[in-house]
Amino acid sequence: MNFTLHQLQVFLEVVKQESITKAAENMHMTQPATSIQLKNFQQQFDYQLTEVIGRKLYITDFGKSIAKIANDIVIESEKLKYKTKEFGAEIAGKLKMSSVSTGKYLIPYFLKGFLDQYSSVELELDVTNKSLVVQSLKNNEIDFALVSVSPSDLQLEEEILMENKLYLVGNQPSLNDNRHYIYREKGSATRAAMDHYLSSKKVQKKMELTSNEAVKQALIAGLGYSIIPLIGIRNEIKHKELHIIPQEGLPITTNWRLVWLKQKKFSPTAEAFLNYIKNNKRQIIDENFYWIKEII
């Protein structure tokens, strides 16, 4: 066999996206160039890695088995890239993380000091919905995930970071029964909390939006009310664009937590980051999230 590391990377991206076009976009390649790399890799094998049915690309069982091996090779090649620096006692390598969308208001503050201290570390952070975060954990594609509610179907370990409080919010300080309740999409932890709280109440008008920012802008525009995390609306509360509406049973309180697969074999970089979080999280919270107590 005579394949290249680049061919492995292209093949893995095609497997992940189940699309040559999307793989090309993500790898900043042209579609013809991606197709050629995939074709050259395919020529190494007697069995098909992919097949096209009705214009949709599918990964064969053989292709899936090769993808697992290819992924291991790519991971080991990345370790080689940083081995010299690690041998010299310098932390270097990739830190791979995934965060639920609301976590974007939190995770940068827990990363900054670590990245300042270890300038050779490369961060790979995916901010997405909870279902994709969980899938990344299941596939062992990341070192850590940031969530507010741990998935129950995985064996995980965790480090609690700080409280996550959810309040009923609108652009006026009181309720108006004629307005909609604005929900996040199904699968979101915020949506689950809102569904649970409103399950015993009569809610006739509903609106569903697919991001925290979309919900926030709809609230500011006066389209309705939503139960959302306080952490994402600091400026809007400060400038009185949004108001917390006191209600019995609120706030809903969960915890932001860093989670990882049980028995996960950490790279030196991932281990250094976890130690940094354990040693510095209290200071990070005090310096960056003091305003939460002032608002509530």
Side-chain angles (χ1 to χ4, degrees):
M1 285 193 173
N2 188 27
F3 55 80
T4 67
L5 181 62
H6 185 55
Q7 287 171 358
L8 293 180
Q9 292 168 330
V10 169
F11 173 60
L12 287 172
E13 191 63 30
V14 170
V15 170
K16 181 179 179 180
Q17 301 297 333
E18 294 186 338
S19 165
I20 293 175
T21 301
K22 291 181 180 179
E25 291 175 357
N26 285 0
M27 298 196 73
H28 307 289
M29 297 171 61
T30 65
Q31 185 171 338
T34 304
S35 297
I36 289 172
Q37 291 296 320
L38 182 62
K39 180 180 178 182
N40 290 341
F41 186 59
Q42 172 65 74
Q43 289 175 347
Q44 310 291 320
F45 304 97
D46 295 328
Y47 302 99
Q48 286 299 116
L49 300 169
T50 63
E51 58 184 355
V52 177
I53 301 175
R55 300 184 66 183
K56 179 171 174 56
L57 185 142
Y58 294 88
I59 312 303
T60 65
D61 288 342
F62 179 71
K64 292 176 182 177
S65 65
I66 293 300
K68 291 180 181 179
I69 299 171
N71 187 59
D72 290 340
I73 294 173
V74 170
I75 290 173
E76 292 302 315
S77 71
E78 289 180 352
K79 290 181 182 178
L80 287 174
K81 179 180 177 181
Y82 302 105
K83 185 51 66 177
T84 300
K85 290 184 177 181
E86 288 177 5
F87 189 77
E90 180 180 350
I91 297 297
K94 276 192 177 180
L95 178 64
K96 296 183 178 181
M97 300 183 64
S98 186
S99 169
V100 294
S101 57
T102 312
K104 67 187 174 200
Y105 301 110
L106 178 85
I107 193 62
Y109 299 98
F110 286 88
L111 284 166
K112 184 182 183 302
F114 177 76
L115 296 176
D116 286 346
Q117 184 175 348
Y118 300 108
S119 59
S120 295
V121 170
E122 295 182 15
L123 173 66
E124 192 173 292
L125 172 62
D126 184 27
V127 179
T128 184
N129 62 49
K130 186 182 178 183
S131 61
L132 293 179
V133 171
V134 173
Q135 192 61 46
S136 295
L137 275 171
K138 285 182 178 179
N139 295 340
N140 196 25
E141 296 171 346
I142 55 176
D143 299 310
F144 303 101
L146 177 66
V147 296
S148 59
V149 179
S150 291
S152 58
D153 58 339
L154 291 177
Q155 293 287 320
L156 299 173
E157 295 187 49
E158 65 178 32
E159 178 71 19
I160 301 295
L161 299 183
M162 58 182 282
E163 283 188 338
N164 179 38
K165 291 181 179 290
L166 294 88
Y167 290 85
L168 183 66
V169 174
N171 74 342
Q172 298 294 327
S174 59
L175 284 173
N176 180 332
D177 292 338
N178 292 323
R179 292 189 180 183
H180 290 80
Y181 277 87
I182 304 171
Y183 289 74
R184 282 286 307 278
E185 77 281 4
K186 291 182 179 179
S188 160
T190 302
R191 168 64 179 267
M194 190 167 176
D195 279 339
H196 179 73
Y197 176 76
L198 294 175
S199 61
S200 61
K201 304 179 186 300
K202 292 183 179 180
V203 177
Q204 296 178 344
K205 292 187 176 183
K206 295 183 180 181
M207 183 184 301
E208 184 175 304
L209 301 176
T210 57
S211 74
N212 284 302
E213 284 303 312
V215 170
K216 186 161 65 174
Q217 293 305 317
L219 293 175
I220 293 171
L223 292 182
Y225 308 97
S226 188
I227 295 175
I228 58 176
L230 179 63
I231 197 170
I233 54 173
R234 176 188 183 182
N235 290 331
E236 290 75 17
I237 294 292
K238 180 179 179 181
H239 296 115
K240 301 187 184 304
E241 294 177 300
L242 293 176
H243 300 266
I244 294 173
I245 303 170
Q247 293 289 296
E248 185 179 353
L250 293 178
I252 299 168
T253 302
T254 60
N255 284 300
W256 288 108
R257 62 196 74 216
L258 208 61
V259 299
W260 60 93
L261 289 176
K262 202 168 187 176
Q263 299 180 334
K264 169 80 174 176
K265 293 182 179 179
F266 283 141
S267 67
T269 302
E271 187 171 358
F273 177 66
L274 183 57
N275 288 334
Y276 170 82
I277 292 298
K278 289 180 177 180
N279 294 329
N280 294 279
K281 65 179 181 180
R282 187 68 262 165
Q283 180 180 349
I284 293 169
I285 293 168
D286 290 343
E287 289 180 355
N288 298 283
F289 300 102
Y290 61 88
W291 57 269
I292 292 177
K293 292 181 180 179
E294 295 176 357
I295 286 179
I296 60 177

